Amino acid sequence: MLDLSSRRAARLAVPVLLLVALAACSKKEEAQPAAATPAAGGTATPAPANTPPAAAPATTPETAVSAQVQAMSVDQLREAASLALRENRMYAPTGNNAVEYYLALRDKQPQDATVKSALTDLTPYTLIAAEQSINREDFPEAQRLIALIEKVDDKAPALPRLKAGVTNGMQNAATRTAQETEKLKKQADEKAQQLVEQKKQADQQAKEAEAARQIAAQQESARAQAAEAERQAAAKREADQRAAAAAAPKPAAPSPTAAASAAATLRPISTPAPRYPPEALRAGTSGEVLVEITVGTDGSVTSSRVLRANPARVFDREALNATKRWKFEPVAAPVTTRRTLSFSPGT
C-alpha cells in the first residue's frame, strides 16, 4: 500500500496528467488497436495491427472491466494503472486503460482514497469520450464508456443523457439505413423495370423485322409466280400460233418474179417499230426476227408468222405484234412478203 506522501503525490499528479493527455487520447482512440491483454507481470501485450473489432454484445457495468484485468493482483493493477496514465491510455483501449485498472483496484481495496480520487478525476474525460463516440456514431464504444462511468458512479447525472443519446443515435442510424436501403431498392426496381421495357422493345422490333422479312419473301414469291405464269402463257400463245399456221392451207407459192413484183408494189403508210422487251433491254440483248406477212387488198396485215429468230423466242412476240399494226396502200390482190426486224439496245 502506498504511504501517505506517495498517495498525496499521486493525487496531485493525476489531474495534471489527465489535462495534458486528453486531446492526444481522444485522437488516438479511433486509431487504437484491439484491446491488449495484460501479461502476468502487468505489462500490456498489444494486439496485432489492422485487426478489425469483433462484434460483441453491449457492455454493462458488470462487464465493463475485463476478466483479465479483474484477475490481476493489487501490485500488478497499480503498476498497470500508472503506466496507462503515463502513456495517455486513460479509458481506452478495452482491457488496457487506467479506468479499468482503478475500478479493479477499487473492487479489491474499496477504502483506498487514492483510487477513488483517480476515478473521480478520470470520469469527466471518459464522459467527453463517450459523447464523442455518440457523435461519430460509434455506439459500441459509447456503450463501453457509459458502462465504465456507471460502474464508477451509477448515480452520475450525465448517465441518462448519454444513454438517451445512444438510443436516439442508434434509432436515427437505423432509420437512415432503412431509408438508404429503400432508396437503393427503389433504384434497383427502376433499373429492373427499364431493363424489362428495353427487352419488350427489342422483342417488338424483332417481331416487326421478322414480319417485314416474311412479307418481302411473299412478295418476291408472288412476283416469281407471276413471271412464270406470263412465260408459260407466252409459250402457249406461240405454240398456238404455230399450230394454227401449220394447219392453215398453204396458197400456191407465187413465182419468185411475181412475188418480188408484188412486194415491190407495196407502199407502206405506217410501219411502227416493235416494242423492245424490257427483260432483253435490261440484259442488253440484241437480235433480229425474220417474219412473213400477208397484206390484204385494203393494205392491212392479215397474217404474220416468224420464219427465223436470233435468239429464239426473245423478240418473236413483239415482232409479230408490231407487224399486225403495219398499214400499206391498198393493192389489187393480197401480197405475201418477208421483212427482217432488228433489235438493238442502242437504237
Side-chain angles (χ1 to χ4, degrees):
M1 180 179 295
L2 293 174
D3 56 21
L4 184 58
S5 59
S6 298
R7 292 181 181 179
R8 184 180 297 107
R11 177 71 177 85
L12 295 174
V14 169
V16 175
L17 290 172
L18 294 176
L19 289 172
V20 172
L22 177 60
C25 190
S26 298
K27 291 180 179 178
K28 288 167 59 179
E29 183 180 357
E30 292 183 2
Q32 196 68 252
T37 303
T43 304
T45 303
N50 301 323
T51 302
T59 307
T60 64
E62 291 74 16
T63 61
V65 179
S66 67
Q68 293 88 341
V69 172
Q70 291 174 349
M72 295 169 65
S73 67
V74 171
D75 292 339
Q76 289 176 333
L77 288 171
R78 291 185 185 282
E79 181 182 352
S82 298
L83 180 62
L85 285 176
R86 289 196 299 271
E87 295 180 353
N88 299 328
R89 289 181 283 105
M90 293 182 292
Y91 46 80
T94 303
N96 188 15
N97 60 80
V99 175
E100 288 192 47
Y101 293 136
Y102 280 121
L103 284 172
L105 273 171
R106 191 183 67 177
D107 290 342
K108 295 178 183 297
Q109 296 183 339
Q111 305 304 320
D112 192 323
T114 302
V115 173
K116 293 180 180 180
S117 177
L119 288 173
T120 301
D121 292 334
L122 287 167
T123 299
Y125 305 105
T126 309
L127 187 151
I128 294 174
E131 291 177 336
Q132 292 173 342
S133 296
I134 293 172
N135 291 336
R136 65 173 179 267
E137 296 187 347
D138 186 356
F139 300 118
E141 177 65 5
Q143 290 174 330
R144 185 186 73 83
L145 295 172
I146 291 172
L148 287 175
I149 297 170
E150 188 171 2
K151 186 170 180 62
V152 172
D153 181 7
D154 59 0
K155 300 289 193 294
L159 282 175
R161 174 173 57 81
L162 292 174
K163 291 181 179 180
V166 170
T167 301
N168 294 336
M170 293 178 67
Q171 290 177 348
N172 293 337
T175 301
R176 185 171 63 252
T177 300
Q179 291 174 345
E180 292 175 353
T181 302
E182 182 63 24
K183 181 179 178 181
L184 292 175
K185 181 178 181 299
K186 183 177 180 181
Q187 292 175 348
D189 291 343
E190 291 176 352
K191 183 63 175 178
Q193 185 62 31
Q194 291 177 357
L195 292 176
V196 170
E197 293 299 328
Q198 291 174 358
K199 185 177 184 303
K200 286 183 179 179
Q201 293 178 359
D203 292 344
Q204 182 63 27
Q205 292 174 353
K207 290 179 180 179
E208 292 175 355
E210 177 62 19
R213 188 191 65 78
Q214 292 179 357
I215 292 174
Q218 292 172 356
Q219 292 176 343
E220 183 62 25
S221 176
R223 285 193 293 268
Q225 291 176 357
E228 178 63 19
E230 178 64 19
R231 188 189 66 78
Q232 292 177 358
K236 184 175 184 303
R237 287 195 298 269
E238 182 179 350
D240 292 345
Q241 289 175 355
R242 290 180 179 178
K250 298 181 180 179
S255 63
T257 303
S261 175
T265 61
L266 290 176
R267 296 178 180 177
I269 297 175
S270 173
T271 55
R275 188 178 74 91
Y276 214 106
E279 295 82 357
L281 183 61
R282 285 194 297 268
T285 305
S286 59
E288 60 180 18
V289 180
L290 176 63
V291 297
E292 182 182 78
I293 62 173
T294 299
V295 180
T297 56
D298 61 353
S300 62
V301 177
T302 58
S303 66
S304 61
R305 66 190 182 98
V306 176
L307 298 179
R308 184 180 66 253
N310 183 29
R313 293 186 296 277
V314 175
F315 302 103
D316 301 28
R317 183 174 60 181
E318 297 300 337
L320 293 174
N321 289 339
T323 58
K324 290 178 181 178
R325 300 192 301 272
W326 287 358
K327 189 69 174 177
F328 298 88
E329 291 184 356
V331 292
V335 177
T336 299
T337 184
R338 295 177 179 180
R339 293 286 192 276
T340 300
L341 286 76
S342 298
F343 294 83
S344 177
T347 59

